[in-house]
Each structure stands twice: as C-alpha cells, then as structure tokens.
Amino acid sequence: MAWGFILHLLYGLTFFTLGVAIFSRDIRLSELGIAKIIRLLAVFGIIHGFHEWLELLELLFPAIGDSNFKAIRLAVVSLSFLPLLYFGLFLNIITLRGDQALSKTPPLVKALVGILALSILLFAAYLDLDSGRDTNTRILVAFPGALLSGIGLVCYSRTVRTFSHSTATNFILAGGCMIGYAVVAGLVPSDVLVPIVGVKIILFRGLCAFFIMFFTITALSLFNIEQRELIREQLQRFSQSEKLTSMGILAAGIAHEINTR
C-alpha cells in the first residue's frame, strides 16, 4: 500500500513538473519549429499527472472506485494522451520538412490530422467504456503517440546540433526514454508484474517518466542558447551599423575640410 502510494505520487509529480517546466519557458522569440508545439507535451504532462493522482485517490479510498469514477478517470487519461499524439505527429512533420513546415502546411491538412487523431481517441474510449479500463486507449493512442514523439525527438536532435551538441544529446536520450515509455505504458497492462524483479509495471513507467522529464528539461536550455545567439547577432549588427555611421560622419567631415581649403 505504502509502496503504491509513493509510486503514484511521484509518477504524477514527475509529469506535472514536466508540464510546469515547459510552460515556464519563454519561447516567444524562438524560430525553432519545436517551440511551436512543445506546449502540447506540457499539456500531456499536466493532465497525465492529474490522472495518476486520480489513481492514487482510488488506491487510498477504494470505495470511490465505482463506474462513474472509472469513467471520469478514463476520460482524463484519454485527454492526456491526445496532445501527446498531436505532439508526435506534428514533430515528425517538422523533422521531415523543416522548422517552418507547420506554417507552410495548409490548414485543411492540419485539421484532417487533428480530426483523425481525435477519431482514434473516441473509438478507443468507446471500446474501453464498458470495462472501465484504458487498455484500448493505451494501445491505440498512447503507444503511437509516445512512439512518434520519441522518434521525433531523436530525429529532431540533428536540427539542434548546430546550436549545442549537449542539447542534441539530451533530445536523443529523452526520445529514447519516450520510446521505452511507449512500450511500458502503451502495450503492457497496468496490473502486470514484471518477471524476475516481481514489481508492477508502473515502476518502469515512473522511471521512464522521470528520465523523460530530466532530459527534456535539460534540453529546453536550447531556447536560452537560441535567444543568446539572437541577441549576440543583433548586437553585432548594431555595432556594425554604429561603425558604418561613424565612418560616414568621419568621411563627411574630411570631405568638408577638403572642400573648404
């Protein structure tokens, strides 16, 4: 009981921290494509963290686990995996077509992608509604969403390598952990005991969540690096402009002296 309480508490806190850390970043000046969609990952983290705390509540007070509570919990976990699926889809579009891909993609195409993802979610939730479990939601939404997100993060690391090699490495590690999370959260049922170690799969989900949070937050320093580069370029341009202005004034003064002699 105590072990399950600690696992659910930390598991939810890990994803909630990921969401807050992303939302606290100032990405308004960023030209990177991932900046336009990174908050989808934050929404996933906050909602999924809340879902884990709902499971914790049911663990502490089993009497509340009626059909209505299970339906609410199913709705919350479904809503959490939807932004993760969107993040994975759009990140791979950016990776394949460049940072400006989303702005160049026709609104109709983006709408169709959104409708398709939502339709898959609703279909999976419908299949799970009678049982009160989230098995189909995890297989049809969580697994592809986390898998696409992981692959996207690994591939996107090539784009940021020019800014920072360490940032690219952290994106790769975060992507690898996300792929692992896709397996343990999407394909393995929640009540499975892992052979040999004899612990529930939630322990491995929590470990994947922790490392996703750690490596993603570390990689988010990219936005600070990018802003410093933008400021440095602006200062260089300003300095060059000042030099040119000074040279122009000096040349005008020399020409004036020559003309007055």
Side-chain angles (χ1 to χ4, degrees):
M1 179 70 174
W3 181 239
F5 172 82
I6 294 172
L7 278 177
H8 281 89
L9 178 65
L10 295 179
Y11 186 14
L13 183 61
T14 297
F15 273 128
F16 193 82
T17 302
L18 173 65
V20 172
I22 293 174
F23 274 123
S24 65
R25 296 280 173 167
D26 185 5
I27 58 177
R28 290 173 297 177
L29 299 178
S30 179
E31 295 293 330
L32 295 173
I34 196 172
K36 299 175 177 63
I37 60 171
I38 191 68
R39 286 179 175 169
L40 287 171
L41 186 60
V43 173
F44 158 71
I46 290 175
I47 299 178
H48 199 70
F50 178 67
H51 165 261
E52 293 306 318
W53 289 336
L54 285 178
E55 287 198 342
L56 174 60
L57 186 64
E58 187 177 9
L59 185 65
L60 292 174
F61 305 101
I64 67 172
D66 57 9
S67 58
N68 291 330
F69 184 83
K70 291 183 183 297
I72 293 172
R73 191 157 56 80
L74 176 61
V76 173
V77 73
S78 300
L79 288 175
S80 73
F81 287 132
L82 183 60
L84 181 65
L85 181 57
Y86 284 149
F87 176 75
L89 288 168
F90 292 138
L91 181 58
N92 280 274
I93 292 175
I94 290 171
T95 301
L96 292 173
R97 301 183 58 190
D99 281 333
Q100 304 304 318
L102 287 183
S103 59
K104 295 178 181 177
T105 302
L108 178 61
V109 175
K110 289 189 281 189
L112 289 175
V113 171
I115 292 171
L116 176 62
L118 182 59
S119 299
I120 294 173
L121 173 71
L122 293 175
F123 176 69
Y126 172 76
L127 294 177
D128 287 330
L129 191 59
D130 290 336
S131 65
R133 298 169 62 87
D134 53 13
T135 304
N136 292 289
T137 300
R138 290 183 178 276
I139 294 174
L140 296 177
V141 184
F143 175 70
L147 183 63
L148 287 172
S149 298
I151 294 172
L153 287 170
V154 171
C155 295
Y156 191 76
S157 65
R158 294 177 299 177
T159 304
V160 304
R161 197 174 295 276
T162 55
F163 287 99
S164 170
H165 181 79
S166 61
T167 299
T169 301
N170 279 286
F171 269 125
I172 292 173
L173 293 172
C177 293
M178 186 69 83
I179 293 172
Y181 181 76
V183 175
V184 297
L187 299 182
V188 183
S190 300
D191 55 356
V192 165
L193 284 175
V194 180
I196 302 176
V197 291
V199 296
K200 284 191 174 182
I201 195 65
I202 188 176
L203 174 62
F204 292 90
R205 291 179 182 175
L207 289 173
C208 287
F210 173 78
F211 287 114
I212 289 169
M213 177 200 69
F214 177 80
F215 292 126
T216 301
I217 290 177
T218 305
L220 289 180
S221 60
L222 169 67
F223 299 125
N224 295 333
I225 295 172
E226 185 193 17
Q227 287 182 356
R228 285 199 298 269
E229 287 293 318
L230 289 172
I231 292 172
R232 184 180 62 83
E233 291 175 2
Q234 289 174 354
L235 288 175
Q236 285 183 342
R237 286 197 296 267
F238 179 75
S239 177
Q240 291 174 354
S241 176
E242 287 290 305
K243 288 178 181 178
L244 291 173
T245 301
S246 299
M247 290 176 62
I249 294 173
L250 179 61
I254 294 173
H256 177 73
E257 288 293 327
I258 293 173
N259 290 332
T260 55
R261 289 184 178 181

